[in-house]
């Protein structure tokens, strides 16, 4: 295991040292690192492409020697932005190991998991004939953009075997994430008469009207239900106006609603439209407020005895870890997969600090145990010894 640990760390360090911020950096270099590693070990892999033809990730496939279901390990290799680099105590692309911690953006989310999953594929490939079904490793290069382009390209690829379940390598050693709230997002466009701020006639501009609508949205009560986390409505952006002297005629508001199994996207849309209707009736403008739905994903939750959650929880217990099944507040790729009928876990990995913030790092002391948990879970799913 020491040899595997050293090799995992070496690949993870190279990945962290290769900047791959979602929507900012070209993800070609980080995929090149992975392709060189996979090619050097003779692992079959290919690039996944989105609808526009751009590369969205890599797919590694290890086919078993007996009929059976396919299971997927998924880790993103693009990352969150660096943020204020001056606030970091080390460079965001340090990729070094200090006091047992691998440091740098992506060390936690999720380049170390990508390195582990590549090694698992290499570990199992020589014994593939003993296994039933197959193992796919999805290395998603379009996750932190919010598009989940790698996962979408994987599900749409006619050559890929449909997975019976997916284990996503987000970090955190105390929990296996078996569910998450869903979401419904929209953009509201508020209208008002335009004018000059210094004119004799007073004009209530779109920004002022939008501020009133935001207060109404913030004061809206959402129903409780039996889901582990309640639904939540949040105004996340407001955009309108320019300069000082012009009263704007429109303003846009971004609304994010986190949904549950009982309060889903249809209920979220009805609620927001009801608030907007009440707003337009109470403070009429030159036209109705537009409601433009942007995206929606369902909430999901796996029972502890459903695969792949059962295999991962049992493997963690076999390794002596006290791990609880958790439903997460933030949405994740698991929600996208749930909408496609594919069950997923979305988090079990190394202890971490600074996720999406400053000084991101992971504790490598638990790497052998985490690697062993995933290896045992995969072998159980593939019917291996």
């Amino acid at each position: 295991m020491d040899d595997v640990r050293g090799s995992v760390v070496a690949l993870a360090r190279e990945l962290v040292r290769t900047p791959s911020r979602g929507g900012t950096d070209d993800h070609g270099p980080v995929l090149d690192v992975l392709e060189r590693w996979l090619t050097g070990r003779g692992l079959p892999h290919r690039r996944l492409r989105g609808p526009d033809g751009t590369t969205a990730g890599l797919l590694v496939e290890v086919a078993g020697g007996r009929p059976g279901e396919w299971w997927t390990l998924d880790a993103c290799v693009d990352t969150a932005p660096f943020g204020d680099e001056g606030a970091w105590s080390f460079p965001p692309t340090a990729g070094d190991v200090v006091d047992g911690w691998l440091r740098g953006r992506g060390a936690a989310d999720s380049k170390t998991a990508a390195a582990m999953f590549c090694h698992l594929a290499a570990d199992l490939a020589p014994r593939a004939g003993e296994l039933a079904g197959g193992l796919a490793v999805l290395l998603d290069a379009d996750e932190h953009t919010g598009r989940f382009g790698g996962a979408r390209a994987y599900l749409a690829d006619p050559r890929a075997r449909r997975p019976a379940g997916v284990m996503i390598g987000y970090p955190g050693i105390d929990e296996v994430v078996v569910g998450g709230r869903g979401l419904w997002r929209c953009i509201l466009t508020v209208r008002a008469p335009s004018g000059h701020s210094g004119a004799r006639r007073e004009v209530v501009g779109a920004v002022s009207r939008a501020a009133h609508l935001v207060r109404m949205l913030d004061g809206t009560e959402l129903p409780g239900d039996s889901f582990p986390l309640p639904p939540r409505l949040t105004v996340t952006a407001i955009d309108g106006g320019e300069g000082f002297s012009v009263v704007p005629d429109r303003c846009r508001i971004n609304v994010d609603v986190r949904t549950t199994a009982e309060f889903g996207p249809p209920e979220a849309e009805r609620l927001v439209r009801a608030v907007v209707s009440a707003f337009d009736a109470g403070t009429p403008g030159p036209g109705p407020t537009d409601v433009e739905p942007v995206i929606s994903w369902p909430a999901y939750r796996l029972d502890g005895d459903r695969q792949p959650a059962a295999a991962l929880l049992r493997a963690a217990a076999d390794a002596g870890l006290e791990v609880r099944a958790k439903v997460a507040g933030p949405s994740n790729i698991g929600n996208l997969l749930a909408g496609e009928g594919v069950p997923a876990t979305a988090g079990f990995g190394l202890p971490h600090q600074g996720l999406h913030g400053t000084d991101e790092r992971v504790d490598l002391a638990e790497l052998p145990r985490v690697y062993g948990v995933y290896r045992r879970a995969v072998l159980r799913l593939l019917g291996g010894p």
Side-chain angles (χ1 to χ4, degrees):
M1 185 62 214
D2 287 343
D3 290 343
V4 173
R5 180 187 186 278
S7 183
V8 170
V9 172
L11 178 56
R13 291 181 65 182
E14 189 173 1
L15 293 173
V16 172
R17 288 172 175 165
T18 308
S20 54
R21 292 164 290 179
T24 300
D25 297 312
D26 177 8
H27 55 230
V30 77
L31 294 180
D32 289 342
V33 170
L34 290 161
E35 285 191 307
R36 285 194 298 269
W37 192 94
L38 295 166
T39 300
R41 284 146 186 86
L43 285 170
H45 63 278
R46 55 192 169 86
R47 294 201 172 198
L48 295 171
R49 303 191 183 277
D52 60 355
T54 58
T55 302
L58 289 176
L59 183 65
V60 185
E61 294 173 306
V62 178
R66 295 183 286 121
E69 295 177 313
W70 278 68
W71 303 88
T72 300
L73 298 172
D74 175 20
C76 58
V77 295
D78 67 337
T79 72
F82 295 155
D84 181 4
E85 295 185 47
W88 288 63
S89 63
F90 50 83
T93 56
D96 56 3
V97 178
V98 176
D99 296 328
W101 291 77
L102 173 61
R103 311 189 308 172
R105 176 64 82 224
D109 186 11
S110 295
K111 291 181 174 180
T112 307
M116 283 196 297
F117 292 169
C118 286
H119 279 77
L120 269 168
D123 182 3
L124 296 183
R127 59 191 300 186
E130 307 171 28
L131 307 178
L135 174 68
V137 176
L138 172 62
L139 302 165
D140 192 338
D142 190 23
E143 193 259 21
H144 281 87
T145 60
R147 294 188 293 261
F148 294 171
R152 293 181 185 277
Y154 172 43
L155 294 173
D157 190 327
R159 295 168 56 192
R161 301 290 187 91
R162 188 78 170 181
V166 177
M167 291 179 281
I168 304 166
Y170 295 138
I173 200 166
D174 299 323
E175 301 160 338
V176 171
V177 176
V178 297
R181 282 188 296 201
L183 60 80
W184 180 81
R185 291 172 176 166
C186 70
I187 298 173
L188 308 179
T189 302
V190 178
R191 291 179 169 79
S194 61
H196 194 290
S197 61
R200 289 180 176 273
R201 182 174 65 92
E202 182 177 352
V203 175
V204 178
V207 171
S208 297
R209 291 193 73 229
H212 179 55
L213 177 54
V214 168
R215 287 193 294 271
M216 292 179 65
L217 291 166
D218 284 344
T220 301
E221 292 188 11
L222 276 67
D225 59 31
S226 60
F227 203 72
L229 295 168
R232 177 185 295 170
L233 185 154
T234 308
V235 175
T236 57
I238 184 167
D239 176 50
E242 184 177 358
F244 290 92
S245 61
V246 177
V247 179
D249 62 358
R250 64 183 56 203
C251 184
R252 290 157 60 92
I253 302 168
N254 289 7
V255 178
D256 177 282
V257 184
R258 298 298 163 133
T259 62
T260 67
E262 298 171 31
F263 185 83
E267 290 77 17
E269 182 169 0
R270 282 197 293 268
L271 182 143
V272 170
R273 288 188 181 277
V275 173
V276 167
S277 295
F279 164 73
D280 284 339
T283 57
T289 299
D290 287 341
V291 180
E292 178 189 353
V294 175
I295 191 172
S296 69
W297 294 328
Y300 80 102
R301 177 172 55 175
L302 301 184
D303 293 331
D305 59 353
R306 187 175 181 191
Q307 301 292 17
L312 193 55
L313 287 165
R314 181 175 171 186
D318 289 346
L321 291 167
E322 293 185 6
V323 175
R324 69 184 182 96
K326 174 189 176 182
V327 173
S331 304
N332 54 65
I333 293 179
N335 296 87
L336 171 66
L337 294 167
E340 296 286 336
V342 178
T345 60
F348 171 76
L350 297 179
H352 61 94
Q353 295 178 358
L355 182 72
H356 287 196
T358 58
D359 290 354
E360 181 177 342
R361 51 189 155 181
V362 288
D363 184 358
L364 297 174
E366 291 288 359
L367 193 152
R369 200 147 55 150
V370 170
Y371 182 89
V373 166
Y374 273 109
R375 185 178 187 277
R376 184 171 296 174
V378 168
L379 282 172
R380 182 168 285 127
L381 292 167
L382 297 178

